[in-house]
Amino acid sequence: MSQPINVAILGATGAVGTELLELLDSRNFPLAGLKLLASPRSAGSILTFKGEKLKVETVEASSFKGVDLVLASAGGSTSKAWANTITQAGAVMIDNSSAFRMNPDVPLVVPEINPEATAHHRGIIANPNCTTILMGLAIYPLHQVQSIKRVVVATYQSASGAGARAMEEVKIQSQAILKGENPQAEVLPYPLAFNLFPHNSPLTDRGYCEEEMKMVNETRKIFNAPTLGITATCVRVPVLRAHSEAVNLEFDAPFPVEKARAILAQAPGIKLVEDWQKNYFPMPIDASGKDEVLVGRIRQDISHHCGLELWLCGDQIRKGAALNAIQIAELLMEKNWLKLTGSPLTV
Amino acid sequence: MSQPINVAILGATGAVGTELLELLDSRNFPLAGLKLLASPRSAGSILTFKGEKLKVETVEASSFKGVDLVLASAGGSTSKAWANTITQAGAVMIDNSSAFRMNPDVPLVVPEINPEATAHHRGIIANPNCTTILMGLAIYPLHQVQSIKRVVVATYQSASGAGARAMEEVKIQSQAILKGENPQAEVLPYPLAFNLFPHNSPLTDRGYCEEEMKMVNETRKIFNAPTLGITATCVRVPVLRAHSEAVNLEFDAPFPVEKARAILAQAPGIKLVEDWQKNYFPMPIDASGKDEVLVGRIRQDISHHCGLELWLCGDQIRKGAALNAIQIAELLMEKNWLKLTGSPLTV
């Protein structure tokens, strides 16, 4: 058992923050102390942890004194604003935002894929984007055996990816539509109830949205495969929680489907869900609240002799965010990588 | 103006049947008479057409006497059961089911793509599957300019594809879930409200479901491109009406994105919907009730120098079924192709 440490959650009241709390409890994370932090707007709330009521404090410079590890899930601007303060205070920050993911001095880690990258951190470790984590878990075990040449992925992303308020909005909109009303969108740009639309993250100059470029760039960084071809179409769908992805893989040589199935049946963090008799495969309602990414419908691509098709669903808040962050924290403790030997990174 | 003809709708009470009625009215189809037919279970209903109440009659051998054209939308087994009776009675059948689509003696027609195939009919003309029609409209204009080598498509299919009862089921399930209940699925195999799942059509021996193989085989037949590579992942989503598709295209040489956009802006049956400033692209709620297939997000594929990405939404009941059938009927009349010169096909 590792020596207990002092942990702070920055952004404790959000969808991911709530899940972090639940996981620290259910995984018996060795805590010496737990501090809940948030912006002034959300501070003051009371959250329960292991039966004890904890008050969410306003984040300020003194908040990180004595803290060993900060789990940050309050968005990119908050992470940027507090990163140097956190690392100067001697704490390590595991950041859920996209702020530092592509910084070459910041490890971007999925513990099942590139745990060794964590060793070289300089006070900040980035947690990848949800869609990237889920796809990475499913395809990296194949990539290890035979390099993937190209990925064509289409996503089916739940409202939870836009936060707890978006989940609530979908419910309220659905209720209104069922009553025959014509609700307006406030949190998301367009109505999502009984509808869907291309992911609403800002578009880049090549027409890909930022969410899609995260899948491209983050996967390359995590796999250490800078030339891996990836194209993505990211779409929001009226599902509350758990993302799905239709993944087409091209290899340089044929990859027998039975070999792929056998590899994925053994792969960490994955559960094969394939009942071909019942036409039963991964579904968001089955992936919700689960640690594992559900993978199924592994098929030989009939349009390409070196292609494979697969289908996955994973809990976007859990393995797509909070669980991956907690697993990084557990890895740091297990390997004794928490304490910095050099000076912390300044960002 | 063509000479008015006697038309029968077989399966008048279903989602497509209702739409056929609406289109015969709104397009001022030249009708001498209109007969509504259905199975004994649905017969007896009263439907309104141009303000007049019409009784739905039970289909029987004598139903087709004096009928020039039958629009069949009562499913494959009904089409198979009545096809020979219909053609022997001297009527032409435009069939919405999959029963005869791959029969080499049956033209499979999208009027914007292969109208000339209609000329050679022998009494039966097949209407393609909804996902096939929608994708075909968007990609054929490009294929004409530069042959498509391979298509990787992922679909987002609405409940309407499983009929009016499935649409109702999604609403009832949504209501129940919003009340905190845990509803069971009856029409569809799994709950679709706030969920999604791979298309529930029967699986073929290579792991593709029948819906996916329709996209593969029907597209090849319509395009007259028997070796065109196509792989599809078909997914049902909790949208009421209108399907969406994420389409990745590979060509033998680069296809400039601006050229593709210019071609699609002129293409029949399509409407370009791309507001890059507002991140506004085709959505099912905007495609519902529309004749055009909405196409947008045309991008150069960053993973393949000869690749293009595009996104489309189309009303699955309208252009995906009823409208396409009516357009075939209009084509038959315009070209004077309704009367057979030889003997009718026996199936």
Side-chain angles (χ1 to χ4, degrees):
Chain A
M1 185 71 175
S2 305
Q3 192 71 13
I5 61 169
N6 286 304
V7 172
I9 299 180
L10 176 55
T13 56
V16 175
T18 311
E19 198 73 15
L20 285 167
L21 264 186
E22 195 283 312
L23 287 164
L24 288 174
D25 181 357
S26 63
R27 294 172 75 91
N28 281 313
F29 193 92
L31 290 171
L34 177 62
K35 204 174 246 188
L36 306 185
L37 303 171
S39 64
R41 188 172 56 84
S42 304
S45 325
I46 305 291
L47 298 177
T48 306
F49 181 73
K50 288 190 186 281
E52 206 179 312
K53 292 197 186 309
L54 293 178
K55 190 170 175 183
V56 180
E57 301 167 35
T58 301
V59 57
E60 50 193 40
S62 61
S63 300
F64 304 103
K65 212 171 158 181
V67 168
D68 300 296
L69 179 75
V70 177
L71 300 165
S73 62
S77 57
T78 305
S79 290
K80 279 181 189 162
W82 293 101
N84 289 338
T85 311
I86 290 169
T87 55
Q88 291 301 327
V92 170
M93 167 161 123
I94 299 176
D95 184 27
N96 262 295
S97 84
S98 63
F100 309 116
R101 287 182 190 150
M102 296 312 297
N103 183 324
D105 293 321
V106 173
L108 182 65
V109 178
V110 178
E112 293 88 344
I113 300 177
N114 60 340
E116 71 292 344
T118 319
H120 312 296
H121 78 84
R122 292 178 57 197
I124 303 173
I125 299 157
N127 209 34
N129 191 47
C130 47
T131 48
T132 306
I133 295 175
L134 305 180
M135 182 172 79
L137 273 186
I139 70 174
Y140 188 71
L142 305 175
H143 181 70
Q144 276 184 296
V145 173
Q146 203 170 300
S147 287
I148 296 170
K149 190 178 161 189
R150 180 172 175 239
V151 181
V152 181
V153 58
T155 71
Y156 302 69
Q157 297 184 227
S158 62
S160 57
R165 285 177 63 227
M167 294 170 79
E168 198 51 38
E169 179 166 277
V170 172
K171 288 187 202 168
I172 292 166
Q173 279 175 359
S174 300
Q175 191 69 70
I177 289 171
L178 291 169
K179 281 184 193 160
E181 296 165 7
N182 186 21
Q184 297 305 301
E186 288 174 17
V187 181
L188 290 166
Y190 306 107
L192 187 56
F194 304 111
N195 191 34
L196 52 83
F197 48 82
H199 196 279
N200 53 296
S201 53
L203 292 164
T204 66
D205 56 359
R206 301 183 74 172
Y208 285 68
C209 68
E210 285 183 2
E211 184 81 359
E212 291 161 348
M213 291 313 298
K214 287 175 186 173
M215 294 193 84
V216 174
N217 295 323
E218 295 181 16
T219 303
R220 287 174 173 170
K221 179 170 175 176
I222 297 163
F223 284 23
N224 191 23
T227 61
L228 173 57
I230 306 178
T231 180
T233 299
C234 289
V235 179
R236 283 211 192 278
V237 295
V239 165
L240 294 176
R241 188 174 166 146
H243 291 351
S244 307
E245 303 182 19
V247 185
N248 182 280
L249 300 174
E250 271 176 58
F251 299 87
D252 273 320
F255 201 125
V257 69
E258 283 311 325
K259 185 175 162 188
R261 187 167 285 121
I263 290 165
L264 292 178
Q266 305 281 333
I270 281 176
K271 189 178 170 192
L272 264 195
V273 174
E274 292 192 310
D275 186 333
W276 294 88
Q277 295 303 316
K278 290 189 180 160
N279 208 333
Y280 172 72
F281 300 106
M283 300 196 289
I285 49 170
D286 291 336
S288 295
K290 295 267 183 14
D291 285 353
E292 297 86 9
V293 173
L294 311 183
V295 181
R297 292 209 78 200
I298 307 167
R299 291 173 285 161
Q300 165 67 48
D301 178 347
I302 56 171
S303 76
H304 196 297
H305 73 293
C306 301
L308 281 182
E309 291 271 17
L310 57 85
W311 170 254
L312 65 89
C313 296
D315 189 313
Q316 172 272 326
I317 305 178
R318 210 166 173 96
K319 182 58 190 176
L323 174 61
N324 198 69
I326 296 288
Q327 286 174 312
I328 294 172
E330 289 169 347
L331 179 69
L332 286 171
M333 297 185 69
E334 182 196 324
K335 300 283 190 184
N336 209 17
W337 287 340
L338 196 60
K339 289 290 168 210
L340 281 191
T341 46
S343 60
L345 180 66
T346 302
V347 286
Chain B
M1 184 72 172
S2 304
Q3 193 72 12
I5 60 168
N6 285 305
V7 172
I9 298 180
L10 177 55
T13 56
V16 175
T18 311
E19 199 72 15
L20 285 167
L21 264 185
E22 195 282 311
L23 287 164
L24 288 175
D25 181 358
S26 63
R27 293 171 76 90
N28 280 314
F29 193 92
L31 289 172
L34 178 61
K35 204 176 246 187
L36 305 184
L37 304 171
S39 64
R41 188 171 57 85
S42 304
S45 324
I46 305 290
L47 298 177
T48 305
F49 181 73
K50 288 190 185 280
E52 206 180 313
K53 292 196 187 310
L54 293 178
K55 190 169 174 183
V56 180
E57 301 168 36
T58 300
V59 57
E60 50 193 42
S62 60
S63 302
F64 304 104
K65 213 170 157 183
V67 168
D68 299 297
L69 178 75
V70 177
L71 299 165
S73 63
S77 57
T78 304
S79 291
K80 278 182 190 161
W82 293 101
N84 289 338
T85 310
I86 291 169
T87 55
Q88 291 302 328
V92 170
M93 167 160 125
I94 299 175
D95 185 27
N96 262 295
S97 83
S98 62
F100 309 116
R101 287 180 191 153
M102 297 311 296
N103 183 323
D105 293 321
V106 173
L108 182 66
V109 178
V110 179
E112 292 88 345
I113 300 177
N114 61 340
E116 70 292 346
T118 318
H120 311 297
H121 78 84
R122 292 178 56 196
I124 304 174
I125 299 157
N127 208 36
N129 191 45
C130 47
T131 48
T132 306
I133 296 176
L134 305 180
M135 182 172 79
L137 273 187
I139 71 174
Y140 188 71
L142 305 176
H143 180 70
Q144 276 185 296
V145 173
Q146 203 170 301
S147 287
I148 296 170
K149 189 178 161 188
R150 180 172 175 239
V151 181
V152 180
V153 57
T155 71
Y156 302 68
Q157 298 183 225
S158 62
S160 57
R165 286 177 61 226
M167 293 170 80
E168 199 50 38
E169 179 165 277
V170 171
K171 289 186 199 168
I172 292 167
Q173 278 174 1
S174 300
Q175 191 68 69
I177 289 171
L178 291 168
K179 281 184 194 161
E181 296 165 9
N182 187 20
Q184 297 305 303
E186 287 172 20
V187 181
L188 290 166
Y190 306 108
L192 186 57
F194 304 111
N195 191 35
L196 51 83
F197 48 82
H199 196 279
N200 52 295
S201 52
L203 292 164
T204 66
D205 56 359
R206 301 182 73 172
Y208 284 70
C209 67
E210 286 182 0
E211 184 82 358
E212 290 160 349
M213 291 313 298
K214 288 174 186 172
M215 295 193 83
V216 175
N217 295 323
E218 295 182 15
T219 304
R220 287 174 172 167
K221 180 170 175 177
I222 298 163
F223 284 24
N224 192 22
T227 60
L228 173 57
I230 306 178
T231 180
T233 299
C234 288
V235 179
R236 284 209 191 277
V237 296
V239 166
L240 293 176
R241 188 174 166 146
H243 291 350
S244 307
E245 304 182 18
V247 185
N248 182 282
L249 300 173
E250 270 176 58
F251 299 86
D252 273 321
F255 201 125
V257 70
E258 283 311 325
K259 185 175 163 188
R261 186 168 286 121
I263 291 166
L264 292 178
Q266 305 281 334
I270 281 176
K271 189 179 170 192
L272 264 194
V273 174
E274 293 192 310
D275 186 333
W276 294 88
Q277 295 303 316
K278 290 188 180 160
N279 208 331
Y280 171 72
F281 301 105
M283 299 196 288
I285 49 170
D286 292 336
S288 296
K290 295 266 182 18
D291 285 353
E292 297 85 10
V293 173
L294 311 183
V295 181
R297 290 209 81 201
I298 307 167
R299 290 173 284 161
Q300 164 68 48
D301 178 346
I302 56 171
S303 76
H304 195 297
H305 73 293
C306 300
L308 281 181
E309 290 271 17
L310 57 85
W311 169 254
L312 65 89
C313 297
D315 189 313
Q316 172 273 324
I317 306 178
R318 211 166 173 95
K319 183 58 189 174
L323 174 61
N324 198 69
I326 296 288
Q327 287 174 312
I328 294 172
E330 290 169 345
L331 180 68
L332 286 170
M333 297 185 70
E334 183 196 323
K335 300 283 190 185
N336 208 17
W337 286 340
L338 195 60
K339 290 291 167 210
L340 280 192
T341 44
S343 60
L345 180 66
T346 302
V347 286

